[in-house]
Amino acid sequence: MEKYYIVDSSILSESFDKVIQARQLLESGKVRQVSEAVKIVGISRGTYYKYKDLVFLPEENMIDRKAVISLMLENRRGMLSKILQTVSESSASVLTINQNIPIHNIASIVISLDLSHLTGTVDDLLNNLKQVSGASNVQLVSIE
């Protein structure tokens, strides 16, 4: 899993801030082309393209976070309910659930989650799900 850090901008290269400024110029419609935006803020197109999908202000990156988690559950009454309770306790919201028919008393589950209000980290949530008796093979499929 990738690691994310919150750091004071004073320790970062000025280029990161300029990439954000260029993206804002493009998104606001003040300029139409990347070449115009990077010229205004004073960075190269290469720098812009290298960091444009990696550098965000906190409110840009954290407003609408989503994740997809897969796991295997024993076919016992209340198992899915325990998983959903664990998700709820972390303040994540369920977007979708896909449960396959149990084979050999094990059901495959894929859950997509809204992490906008998640308390703790995604790793905390995964570890809590792994602690649910009857749950196994808990994996983070993707995160946005």
Side-chain angles (χ1 to χ4, degrees), residues 22-62:
R23 186 184 322 109
Q24 289 171 335
L25 287 170
L26 289 161
E27 289 174 354
S28 69
K30 292 180 181 174
V31 297
R32 291 183 182 213
Q33 297 181 348
V34 171
S35 57
E36 293 176 84
V38 298
K39 186 175 182 180
I40 291 170
V41 300
I43 57 172
S44 70
R45 288 181 57 197
T47 298
Y48 176 78
Y49 283 115
K50 182 175 182 179
Y51 297 113
K52 73 178 182 77
D53 295 323
L54 300 172
V55 181
F56 300 92
L57 293 173
E59 61 271 13
E60 286 182 76
N61 198 24
M62 296 180 182

Side-chain angles (χ1 to χ4, degrees), residues 37-99:
V38 298
K39 186 175 182 180
I40 291 170
V41 300
I43 57 172
S44 70
R45 288 181 57 197
T47 298
Y48 176 78
Y49 283 115
K50 182 175 182 179
Y51 297 113
K52 73 178 182 77
D53 295 323
L54 300 172
V55 181
F56 300 92
L57 293 173
E59 61 271 13
E60 286 182 76
N61 198 24
M62 296 180 182
I63 288 175
D64 198 23
R65 297 175 25 196
K66 293 178 180 64
V68 177
I69 296 173
S70 70
L71 59 142
M72 304 299 274
L73 284 183
E74 292 179 8
N75 187 26
R76 295 189 314 208
R77 181 179 308 177
M79 286 302 306
L80 184 57
S81 178
K82 289 179 184 178
I83 294 298
L84 296 177
Q85 180 63 35
T86 302
V87 168
S88 176
E89 288 170 357
S90 71
S91 298
S93 299
V94 174
L95 298 172
T96 64
I97 301 172
N98 182 1
Q99 178 176 349

Side-chain angles (χ1 to χ4, degrees), residues 5-6 12 18-19 23 58-59 86 93 111 126 137:
Y5 300 97
I6 297 176
L12 298 174
K18 290 182 177 188
V19 168
R23 186 184 322 109
E59 61 271 13
T86 302
S93 299
I111 303 173
L126 294 173
N137 202 21

